[in-house]
Amino acid sequence: MHNKLLEKLNNLTVEEKIGQLVQLTGDFFEGDLDTVVTGPLKKLGLHPNYNVYNTGSILNVTDADKIIRLQTDYLEKSNHKIPLLFMADIIYGFRTIFPIPLAQTCSWNFEAIEQAASISARECYDEGIHVTFSPMVDVVRDPRWGRVMESPGEDTLLAKKYAESMVYGIQGQEAESIPTDKIAACVKHFAAYGAPIAGREYNAVDMSEHMLREYYLPGYQAAIDAGAKLVMTAFNTLNGIPATGNEWLNRDLLREEMKFDGVLISDYAAVEELIMHGYAENATEAAKLGLAAGIDIDMKTAVYANQLKNVISGNEHLEQLLNDAVYRVLKLKSDLGLFEDPFRGLKTRQEQATRILSDAHKKAAQSLAEESIVLLKNEKNLLPLSKQTKIALIGPYSEENSTLGMWAIKGDEADTVNLKTGLLKHMGAEQLSVCRGSYLIPDHAREALGKYVDKLPVETGSEEALLQEAIQNAKEADVVILALGESIYQSGEGGSRTNPTLPEPQLKLLRELKQLGKQLVVIVYSGRPLILTEVTEQSDALIQAWYPGTMGGDALANILYGVVNPSGKLAMTFPRSVGQIPVYYNELSTGRPDLPENGSYRFATRYIDEVNKPLYPFGYGKSYSTFDCSLVSVSREEMGTEESVDIEVSVSNTGKFDGKETIQLYMRDRFASVTRPVKMLTDFRQIFLQSGETGTVQFSIREEMLRFVGSHMKYQSEPGDFDVYIGTSSQDTPLTFSFSFHREEQL
Ligand code: NOJ
C-alpha cells in the first residue's frame, strides 16, 4: 500500500469514504443546492443530507467544458480536494466511430483493433474522460440477444485477443500509471452476461462451472492480465445468484484466483436491483451484500450513499472492506495522475481540432471497416463492379447516416459517410439512381422501440409508391445494390429479438426486385447475425456490413469497386433458422453424431425439419480471389511437454486480385477426461498475397495450447491423440493430420 494514499484515506470521515464509492451523473452538481436536493437527489432517493461534494465519480459526462466546470466546482467545494473521476461508455470510438465490436473482431486483425482503441482513448483523453467502460468481452452464442453487437462473438480465443488488444490500446502497457494519451479500461460484464436464457436481455444465466471456466472466463482473464484497471459486474444472476451480490464470483474467483486488484464497479443500478432479484430484502441488505461481494463503486443508486454507514457501524470486518474499497478508488485516481493534475488531458477546442476526428483517425476507421465487412456470397463473380455499370441503389440504407450503432454516444451522424456518398466517389452521378424502396421497419415494430421511435427516420410516401419507384429504377439499371438492415435501435442493450430477420417491408422489396431478373447485390447493415436464409437465396452477391462506423460508406464503396478486396471472417455463426439457435462451431461431441453416411437415420443428434449446419459458419468469409493451401511440413507425430509440433503451410493466391487470407488452425482432442469440442480454434495467421503469389505461414503447437478445464476445474493438458484441421473457415479445413502428445515420464 502506498503511504500517501493511506494518509489520504485515514483523513476521511466515514461519510467521505462512502462518497468515494458513489457514482452519480452530472446533473447532481448543476444548479443550486436546493434544486439538486429537490431534483436529482430526490429522484434517486438520496438522503437530503447527502453531500454531493463527497461523491467519487461521475457517469457519462463527455463534454470537456462540462468536465472542467464540474471538476473546478468540486475542487472548490469538497473538503479534501480529491478529484472526481469521469467515466463514460466510449465503446468503439469517441467522435471517430469505428465499426461495432462484433464487426471489428471479424477483421481478425488485432493490431488494427488495438490501434482503434488507442485512437478512441486519445480522443477521450483530450476531452478529459478518465475511464471507459470498455472492453465488453462477453462471449455470446445467441444472436437474439441485442448486445451481440458489443461482443467479440462466440469464440474464446478471439475474445482473449480482443480483450488484450483493447486494454493495451486504451491503457497502454505500462504496469501501474496510465500514460499520456491513455485512459483506464473497464472490462465487463463479470460474468457471463452474454448467455442470458433465450437471448432475452437481463435474463438469468445458468451454466455449469465447467462451461464458465472453459469458454467464458478466459476473455475477462486476458483483460485482467493485460492490466485492466476496472471490472464491471453483470446484471444477471449466475446459477441463481445475482453476479453483483456474488461473493464467490467477485472475491474468490475474480480477486483471489484471477488476481484482479483494481476497482470493481457495479453495472447501472445493479446493487439496488439485488432487491428486485429477490436476493436482498431491502436497501440495507443490498448495501451489505454489495460490499461483502466486493463492489467498490455503486453506479447510480442511493444504496451505498444512504445505507453503508449503518451497515458497517460496529462491524470491523465490513469497516475494513470499506477501507479497502476506498483505497482502490484512490489508487485508481493516483494511477491516472489526477492528484497531480485533476484536469489531465483536457485540450481546448482549438487544440482538439487537429486531434479529434483527424484525417489519420478517419483513415484508421475506414481501414478497419474495410477489414470488418464480410463478403458472404458472390455468384459468378458479380463483384467487384465495373465503373461502367449502371447502378440502381435501393433500400432504406442507401443514404442513411444512422449507421453508427447504439453505443456511439459521441458519434455524429453528420460526420458519417453514407453508402451513396461513398459510391459517388467511384462513378458519375448519371450512372446512379437512388431511392428508398421500402420503410425501414413496419409500424408495429416502431412502437416496440419505445423512446427511440423519435429517432427513427420519418417515412414519407406510401409503401406502394416507394416500391413502384424502386421497380422503375431497377428496370433501368444493370445491377441493383439493395442496402437493407435492421434499425440500430433494434439491436444493442434492450434490443433482444425472437425473430432476428430483416424487417418485413424490406423482405417484400427484395422479393419484388428479384422477380425483375436483375442482378442483385444485397448489403446488410445489422448489429447481429440476422437469419439471412431467404436473402441468400434471392441475392447474387451478399455483403455483411454490420454498423461500419463513420467511414462506412467509403469502405463499402471501395469493396464494391474492388479497390479493396474483402477479407473479413465471421466471428459468429449465422444460423439458418431461429430454431437452430444457439448454434456455434465449437459444440461438444455427442454420443450420436449426425454422420453424412447415415442419411436421415433418426436416432442421431439432428432435427427432422432442419439440417444441423448453419447458413454461414464461424470463420467464413469470401474474397474476390481464391486461395489454395497445402501442408508443406509437420515437424513431428509425437510431441512431449517441452516439444512443439511445427507446421508450415503454403498459401497461393490463385485468383486475379491481390488479397488477404486468414489461415485458421483448429484442433480436436480425441479422448479426454471431459468431452471436448468437435473443433476448437487454436491459432490463426493472416497473409497478404498478390495475385499469383505463393507464401507460407507457420504454426507451432505447444503443450499449453492443449490445455482445457478438466473435470476438477483445473486447467490442464492430457496425453493422447489430437486431430488438427487447417483451412479458411471452421467448415472448410482441407488440411488435416494428427499427432499424439505424451508426458516424458510416461516413456
Ligand atoms: C449499462 C450497461 O450494461 C453497461 O454496459 C454500461 O457501461 C452502463 N450501463 C453505464 O452506462
Side-chain angles (χ1 to χ4, degrees):
M1 287 211 172
H2 297 233
N3 285 340
K4 272 196 176 163
L5 290 181
L6 272 182
E7 223 174 89
K8 280 192 199 301
L9 175 72
N10 291 333
N11 283 338
L12 302 180
T13 63
V14 176
E15 287 83 357
E16 287 164 344
K17 286 180 185 171
I18 292 169
Q20 286 300 316
L21 309 188
V22 176
Q23 178 161 95
L24 300 176
T25 43
D27 42 349
F28 288 79
F29 298 84
E30 303 256 72
D32 59 43
L33 202 61
D34 283 348
T35 53
V36 170
V37 171
T38 54
L41 282 192
K42 194 165 175 210
K43 205 166 150 218
L44 196 69
L46 272 165
H47 196 280
N49 290 342
Y50 176 75
N51 179 358
V52 288
Y53 293 97
N54 286 340
T55 303
S57 60
I58 302 288
L59 167 69
N60 279 344
V61 171
T62 53
D63 174 75
D65 299 334
K66 193 163 176 184
I67 290 176
I68 295 173
R69 233 173 31 239
L70 294 184
Q71 189 75 290
T72 311
D73 173 59
Y74 183 90
L75 292 174
E76 243 173 64
K77 298 186 182 150
S78 72
N79 259 349
H80 299 275
K81 324 239 164 285
I82 296 172
L84 281 168
L85 264 175
F86 288 88
M87 308 196 187
D89 287 285
I90 305 301
I91 311 297
Y92 45 94
F94 180 75
R95 258 306 273 289
T96 311
I97 303 300
F98 291 86
I100 54 170
L102 181 60
Q104 290 190 26
T105 327
C106 292
S107 74
W108 297 48
N109 181 346
F110 292 92
E111 284 97 55
I113 290 174
E114 182 175 331
Q115 193 203 4
S118 81
I119 288 172
S120 303
R122 192 174 120 143
E123 291 192 357
C124 286
Y125 176 82
D126 287 0
E127 196 78 18
I129 295 165
H130 307 135
V131 173
T132 173
F133 294 129
S134 173
M136 171 175 133
V137 301
D138 303 315
V139 165
V140 50
R141 293 167 163 179
D142 191 333
R144 290 174 298 184
W145 191 49
R147 296 191 84 170
V148 292
M149 62 162 282
E150 287 174 67
S151 91
E154 75 189 40
D155 180 64
T156 305
L157 179 69
L158 295 189
K160 278 161 67 178
K161 292 202 174 272
Y162 177 75
E164 186 185 79
S165 32
M166 287 294 289
V167 174
Y168 285 161
I170 295 166
Q171 279 190 191
Q173 295 195 32
E174 284 180 31
E176 209 151 330
S177 57
I178 307 216
T180 306
D181 285 346
K182 299 285 181 197
I183 61 172
C186 175
V187 61
K188 64 191 187 184
H189 304 83
F190 198 73
Y193 178 46
I197 293 172
R200 203 183 69 216
E201 185 66 287
Y202 315 129
N203 205 3
V205 174
D206 205 298
M207 66 167 64
S208 68
E209 188 180 336
H210 184 271
M211 170 95 86
L212 177 72
R213 287 178 179 275
E214 176 83 45
Y215 302 99
Y216 287 80
L217 289 187
Y220 309 109
Q221 182 71 69
I224 292 165
D225 293 346
K229 294 280 180 191
L230 298 95
V231 171
M232 186 187 291
T233 62
F235 284 129
N236 51 277
T237 53
L238 177 62
N239 301 333
I241 300 178
T244 304
N246 190 329
E247 232 179 293
W248 170 78
L249 187 68
N250 298 312
R251 288 202 182 272
D252 301 355
L253 196 61
L254 180 66
R255 293 217 182 269
E256 295 304 318
E257 232 186 274
M258 297 173 75
K259 305 274 176 264
F260 174 65
D261 62 2
V263 170
L264 182 62
I265 184 169
S266 75
D267 200 345
Y268 195 102
V271 173
E272 190 167 33
E273 287 172 15
L274 294 176
I275 305 170
M276 285 308 287
H277 271 296
Y279 188 62
E281 210 175 324
N282 49 38
T284 315
E285 203 185 355
K288 192 172 176 183
L289 287 167
L291 187 68
I295 310 301
D296 297 332
I297 298 181
D298 173 9
M299 188 194 289
K300 196 69 198 305
T301 83
V303 170
Y304 272 19
N306 290 352
Q307 310 292 336
L308 267 192
K309 193 172 173 191
N310 284 343
V311 163
I312 60 157
S313 154
N315 184 328
E316 267 180 40
H317 171 62
L318 291 178
E319 239 172 81
Q320 186 55 49
L321 295 189
L322 172 72
N323 284 339
D324 294 348
V326 179
Y327 180 85
R328 285 189 287 265
V329 174
L330 296 179
K331 171 82 168 46
L332 176 61
K333 294 184 177 185
S334 152
D335 290 347
L336 280 155
L338 286 179
F339 292 113
E340 289 77 45
D341 180 8
F343 299 93
R344 117 187 252 277
L346 277 154
K347 306 276 179 303
T348 62
R349 291 285 175 229
Q350 210 179 1
E351 287 166 327
Q352 284 183 357
T354 52
R355 291 170 59 98
I356 292 187
L357 201 70
S358 65
D359 286 347
H361 291 188
K362 288 198 268 190
K363 202 170 154 217
Q366 181 172 331
S367 144
L368 189 49
E370 287 164 353
E371 293 191 60
S372 303
I373 290 164
V374 186
L375 177 64
L376 296 174
K377 180 177 179 184
N378 192 17
E379 276 303 287
K380 301 198 191 115
N381 294 331
L382 172 57
L383 297 177
L385 299 169
S386 106
K387 296 217 172 211
Q388 282 71 45
T389 310
K390 213 166 164 232
I391 303 288
L393 173 60
I394 299 173
Y397 276 96
S398 302
E399 294 182 78
E400 184 56 70
N401 282 22
S402 177
T403 53
L404 299 178
M406 277 273 279
W407 261 137
I409 59 175
K410 292 296 278 189
D412 189 341
E413 288 177 11
D415 301 329
T416 308
V417 182
N418 65 39
L419 185 54
K420 176 187 166 190
T421 310
L423 286 177
L424 283 174
K425 294 180 185 159
H426 298 260
M427 53 159 40
E430 67 291 347
Q431 273 169 265
L432 182 71
S433 67
V434 184
C435 67
R436 194 164 175 79
S438 77
Y439 287 0
L440 175 62
I441 54 174
D443 288 341
H444 64 86
R446 283 178 92 89
E447 283 152 29
L449 296 181
K451 69 173 187 177
Y452 293 103
V453 165
D454 297 342
K455 297 193 174 189
L456 289 173
V458 180
E459 304 289 359
T460 50
S462 72
E463 290 198 76
E464 187 52 30
L466 291 176
L467 178 63
Q468 290 313 321
E469 185 187 11
I471 290 174
Q472 197 49 43
N473 283 5
K475 280 184 178 161
E476 287 163 16
D478 303 323
V479 169
V480 174
I481 299 179
L482 248 183
L484 308 178
E486 60 177 355
S487 154
I488 62 168
Y489 303 108
Q490 289 181 298
S491 85
E493 187 173 349
S496 292
R497 297 182 63 190
T498 58
N499 192 15
T501 55
L502 281 173
E504 190 51 40
Q506 299 185 42
L507 285 172
K508 181 168 178 233
L509 171 67
L510 169 67
R511 289 177 201 129
E512 296 279 347
L513 293 178
K514 175 71 185 170
Q515 287 186 10
L516 302 178
K518 291 282 171 179
Q519 288 185 306
L520 282 181
V521 179
V522 177
I523 298 178
V524 176
Y525 290 80
S526 68
R528 52 158 63 83
L530 292 173
I531 310 289
L532 296 179
T533 311
E534 180 184 355
V535 182
T536 296
E537 281 159 16
Q538 309 264 3
S539 59
D540 298 289
L542 180 57
I543 291 177
Q544 177 63 35
W546 307 109
Y547 295 127
T550 305
M551 303 303 288
D554 279 338
L556 278 160
N558 274 348
I559 285 180
L560 288 165
Y561 282 95
V563 178
V564 167
N565 188 354
S567 59
K569 299 277 184 181
L570 296 178
M572 203 172 163
T573 302
F574 274 50
R576 208 173 270 282
S577 57
V578 176
Q580 284 187 325
I581 296 173
V583 52
Y584 46 93
Y585 84 95
N586 52 353
E587 60 181 18
L588 294 190
S589 304
T590 71
R592 296 190 169 191
D594 183 35
L595 302 173
E597 57 268 33
N598 289 345
S600 56
Y601 173 66
R602 185 182 179 98
F603 300 103
T605 181
R606 58 190 290 270
Y607 300 103
I608 52 175
D609 59 353
E610 180 67 282
V611 295
N612 287 358
K613 279 199 172 155
L615 184 64
Y616 295 113
F618 173 82
Y620 171 85
K622 289 175 80 70
S623 158
Y624 294 150
S625 240
T626 41
F627 295 89
D628 280 355
C629 305
S630 59
L631 260 186
V632 177
S633 60
V634 178
S635 66
R636 58 177 76 245
E637 287 175 359
E638 302 240 331
M639 178 182 123
T641 40
E642 301 302 319
E643 292 168 336
S644 60
V645 176
D646 300 321
I647 305 148
E648 187 166 309
V649 176
S650 153
V651 189
S652 300
N653 181 342
T654 50
K656 293 200 196 101
F657 297 85
D658 302 345
K660 184 162 81 168
E661 183 54 289
T662 302
I663 309 297
Q664 304 160 36
L665 185 146
Y666 296 84
M667 269 204 298
R668 177 183 193 157
D669 188 345
R670 275 197 218 156
F671 307 100
S673 56
V674 294
T675 295
R676 302 292 298 137
V678 292
K679 257 177 200 174
M680 272 294 265
L681 180 69
T682 311
D683 207 352
F684 62 90
R685 296 277 180 274
Q686 297 198 300
I687 181 167
F688 185 88
L689 293 169
Q690 288 177 350
S691 163
E693 195 186 355
T694 296
T696 54
V697 296
Q698 270 95 24
F699 294 97
S700 189
I701 300 175
R702 298 175 310 277
E703 182 272 335
E704 63 266 24
M705 295 158 94
L706 311 183
R707 291 183 199 165
F708 60 94
V709 178
S711 53
H712 300 295
M713 303 302 139
K714 292 271 172 295
Y715 214 54
Q716 63 186 36
S717 61
E718 288 176 7
D721 294 334
F722 292 81
D723 297 325
V724 178
Y725 307 88
I726 301 174
T728 54
S729 90
S730 61
Q731 263 175 30
D732 183 14
T733 51
L735 311 184
T736 62
F737 66 91
S738 305
F739 70 94
S740 62
F741 165 65
H742 60 258
R743 298 198 189 286
E744 276 71 5
E745 63 268 25
Q746 289 178 319
L747 292 181

